[in-house]
Amino acid sequence: MKNLPLSLQIWLVFAIITLCITLLLCILLPATLREFFTNEVYATIESAQGMVLERFSDETTKEEWESSRILNRPPQDDIRTVNHFIVLKENYTIMSPGISNPIEPSEIPEGAVKHLLILPPKEILEQIINEAKIQTEESCQYSGQINNRRIFYVITRGKLMGRDVYLVSYMWDTYREDLVKTLFKKLAAIMGFAFILSWLPSLALARYLTKPLVILEKRVERLANRDWQEPIKLERKDEIGRLGNSVEKLRQQLIFQDEAQQSLLQNISHELKTPVMVIQSYIQAIKDGIFPKGDLNRTLEVIEEEANRLQKLIQNLLYLTKLDYLTTHKQTLETFQLDELIKEVVERLRWHRKALDWSIKLVPVKIKADKEQWRVALENLLDNQIRHAKSRIDIELEPKGENSFLLHIYNDGTNIEPEIMEALFQKYNKGSRGRTGLGLAIVQRIITLHGGNIYAKNEEEGVSFYIEM
């Protein structure tokens, strides 16, 4: 089923659920109805029996008994009729106004049984007599079956003309079965009608739910073909609407990445072209016997500087690619003193601008991380500070609790423009001096890989960088 269209899958689920409920009701409903109407039949029998018991009592005279018509009423076709007869407790014989003397069930001739419709067949009579013999309660409910017909009867002890008797009231199940079948047919027709009608709204609902998914499918396919200019708008607040919003965010991110990538290619091509052109032009000048910087040594120093710049740019690009790879792979971690690593990096970089004033306040902090990555991050971050500082750089490291610390680096350089600040750590961002922001992008990626956060803040004079772990 998973290979079928989603709308058809949803419709099939609704249809199967509805069908299962219908079948379950078809199985359980008849049994439930039979139980309900069985209770009703017994209630009808007991109600009719109560009327008989009210009419006859221990004070009933023989004349009243002989003139009674409630027990030996004429034949009736009403299946809801409750019939009665009396069994004497002293010898368990049947007593009825239509019988001159009490007799045993086996002594009743067939003709008499047919004539006296108040009596059930002999087999049931014998069963009733046997149950009356062992009955200990005042009144009990029983049932029996003969020739695929079920009979329900109630045996109640009482007094009649000074004798202990059992009043037996019974009713056949024909009425119950007719009620069950009639009601079940009606309910089955209603359920079948509802079952068929439910298919139409379920199909409409399936199409309603899948329509936005079909739209998203087409839009995602267009995104895969790099056609991401048209925005995705689904006027929904449910899960499908949230999915549409996520796809829209993806579209915007793709647009941003595409624009940033194009900008990166332009910037990188310019960054690569400039040192290559300088190196080529200087080498050609040397070949022609010309020294642009006055002598050979100074000219070669320019070539070396440009080659180093070119090498660093290529290394940064390769390192960013490596960091992208590490986001989905396990890192090699070790425990080391972060304060010692900061001192080591500062000592190696401070000679780039010897005139800078360094203020270093470090509290011993031990961390578990990739030491080489942190070395690269600190080198790139401090290189950025050295290039932008006017005269001073402050570094402060302090713990903020167990396994957490704050590293604050300040330089007294020019404030960062707001538009640059927003994308300062993005790898495709171009700095205020025309440099691609690969250095800070590498710092941000390393800090993020270790579960930390880095941000910058303009001060009244200068800029502060904060690393929180």
Side-chain angles (χ1 to χ4, degrees):
M1 193 173 82
K2 64 181 180 180
N3 296 323
L4 297 175
L6 183 58
S7 59
L8 183 57
Q9 292 185 43
I10 296 176
W11 179 79
L12 284 175
V13 170
F14 274 100
I16 292 173
I17 292 175
T18 307
L19 181 61
C20 291
I21 293 175
T22 303
L23 294 176
L24 187 62
L25 288 176
C26 289
I27 296 173
L28 297 179
L29 195 58
T32 304
L33 290 175
R34 283 191 180 91
E35 182 181 358
F36 171 77
F37 286 119
T38 297
N39 296 330
E40 290 298 311
V41 166
Y42 279 122
T44 302
I45 294 173
E46 290 174 346
S47 177
Q49 193 178 65
M51 295 174 60
V52 173
L53 292 173
E54 287 179 4
R55 182 167 183 177
F56 298 109
S57 65
D58 194 21
E59 289 78 16
T60 301
T61 65
K62 185 176 182 180
E63 290 75 15
E64 291 174 338
W65 169 250
E66 292 296 337
S67 63
S68 171
R69 292 282 182 249
I70 195 168
L71 295 181
N72 61 337
R73 51 178 165 267
Q76 300 182 38
D77 295 330
D78 190 354
I79 60 175
R80 292 171 291 181
T81 300
V82 180
N83 295 308
H84 314 271
F85 64 91
I86 291 176
V87 176
L88 292 175
K89 185 177 181 182
E90 58 192 52
N91 53 13
Y92 295 98
T93 57
I94 295 173
M95 179 180 178
S96 173
I99 303 175
S100 57
N101 297 309
I103 58 175
E104 296 183 3
S106 59
E107 298 175 351
I108 301 175
E110 288 294 333
V113 175
K114 293 178 181 178
H115 176 68
L116 300 172
L117 295 177
I118 59 171
L119 298 177
K122 286 185 178 181
E123 295 87 341
I124 297 298
L125 279 174
E126 293 174 355
Q127 177 180 328
I128 292 173
I129 295 299
N130 292 331
E131 287 170 340
K133 290 179 179 180
I134 62 175
Q135 179 172 311
T136 58
E137 297 181 4
E138 187 73 22
S139 179
C140 286
Q141 298 174 349
Y142 301 95
S143 66
Q145 187 163 344
I146 182 171
N147 297 330
N148 296 324
R149 293 183 65 194
R150 180 167 289 276
I151 185 173
F152 301 96
Y153 54 95
V154 177
I155 303 176
T156 302
R157 289 202 301 262
K159 288 278 190 179
L160 179 63
M161 295 182 293
R163 294 180 171 182
D164 291 327
V165 298
Y166 292 100
L167 175 60
V168 181
S169 305
Y170 67 91
M171 190 176 183
W172 293 98
D173 71 340
T174 308
Y175 177 52
R176 183 194 69 152
E177 287 300 316
D178 286 346
L179 285 174
V180 171
K181 291 178 181 178
T182 301
L183 188 56
F184 178 71
K185 288 179 181 179
K186 291 183 179 180
L187 290 175
I190 294 173
M191 287 187 296
F193 186 66
F195 175 68
I196 295 174
L197 285 183
S198 66
W199 284 11
L200 297 177
S202 64
L203 182 59
L205 177 62
R207 290 183 176 178
Y208 170 75
L209 292 176
T210 57
K211 183 178 179 180
L213 295 178
V214 173
I215 295 175
L216 284 177
E217 178 192 11
K218 294 179 179 178
R219 298 305 305 279
V220 172
E221 184 177 357
R222 291 172 61 182
L223 290 179
N225 295 325
R226 299 181 65 84
D227 180 10
W228 46 54
Q229 299 306 317
E230 184 179 352
I232 299 173
K233 293 182 180 179
L234 296 178
E235 301 299 330
R236 302 173 66 107
K237 301 297 183 182
D238 55 5
E239 290 81 358
I240 297 178
R242 293 197 291 271
L243 175 61
N245 293 335
S246 298
V247 176
E248 172 61 17
K249 292 179 181 179
L250 173 63
R251 184 192 71 86
Q252 296 175 0
Q253 186 65 23
L254 287 173
I255 293 175
F256 172 78
Q257 293 285 358
D258 183 64
E259 294 175 350
Q261 188 176 24
Q262 295 299 325
S263 175
L264 173 71
L265 291 175
Q266 293 175 5
N267 293 332
I268 292 300
S269 61
H270 175 74
E271 292 288 333
L272 293 175
K273 181 175 64 175
T274 301
V276 170
M277 289 178 59
V278 171
I279 292 172
Q280 287 179 337
S281 62
Y282 274 44
I283 291 177
Q284 187 62 44
I286 292 174
K287 287 182 178 180
D288 295 336
I290 301 173
F291 304 112
K293 290 299 180 179
D295 57 47
L296 179 60
N297 287 335
R298 293 177 61 187
T299 302
L300 290 176
E301 287 177 358
V302 173
I303 294 175
E304 183 181 12
E305 181 181 343
E306 293 297 327
N308 290 335
R309 178 184 169 190
L310 185 61
Q311 181 186 18
K312 184 176 182 180
L313 182 60
I314 295 173
Q315 287 177 342
N316 284 340
L317 287 172
L318 293 175
Y319 202 80
L320 272 176
T321 304
K322 177 183 177 181
L323 292 176
D324 289 336
Y325 170 82
L326 290 174
T327 56
T328 57
H329 292 76
K330 188 176 181 180
Q331 299 186 82
T332 302
L333 306 180
E334 60 178 299
T335 302
F336 61 93
Q337 292 292 142
L338 180 60
D339 53 301
E340 296 294 334
L341 182 62
I342 294 173
K343 292 178 182 178
E344 178 185 333
V345 174
V346 169
E347 290 300 321
R348 286 197 298 107
L349 296 182
R350 71 162 66 230
W351 65 269
H352 285 290
R353 288 184 62 185
K354 298 179 180 179
L356 289 177
D357 181 19
W358 293 76
S359 173
I360 302 176
K361 298 179 181 178
L362 304 176
V363 176
V365 172
K366 184 179 292 186
I367 65 172
K368 187 176 183 179
D370 189 314
K371 187 174 182 179
E372 186 57 34
Q373 287 186 24
W374 271 89
R375 187 191 307 276
V376 172
L378 291 171
E379 288 176 353
N380 280 276
L381 185 57
L382 290 176
D383 179 68
N384 177 273
Q385 309 302 306
I386 291 171
R387 284 190 286 107
H388 291 87
K390 293 180 180 178
S391 60
R392 189 170 112 247
I393 294 177
D394 298 339
I395 302 176
E396 185 175 357
L397 174 66
E398 58 178 328
K400 288 295 184 181
E402 187 177 0
N403 300 323
S404 64
F405 64 86
L406 174 66
L407 176 60
H408 175 211
I409 302 177
Y410 165 82
N411 74 80
D412 61 348
T414 306
N415 285 159
I416 302 173
E417 297 88 339
E419 60 274 12
I420 295 178
M421 180 71 80
E422 292 179 0
L424 185 63
F425 297 100
Q426 294 178 5
K427 63 182 177 181
Y428 302 135
N429 182 50
K430 189 173 182 179
S432 59
R433 300 183 183 180
R435 292 176 175 265
T436 55
L438 294 179
L440 291 180
I442 290 174
V443 175
Q444 191 269 346
R445 184 65 57 85
I446 292 174
I447 300 302
T448 302
L449 279 174
H450 287 82
N453 180 40
I454 181 172
Y455 58 93
K457 178 182 177 182
N458 283 324
E459 307 291 354
E460 290 185 7
E461 182 180 350
V463 181
S464 289
F465 285 78
Y466 296 89
I467 296 178
E468 294 178 341
M469 292 289 291

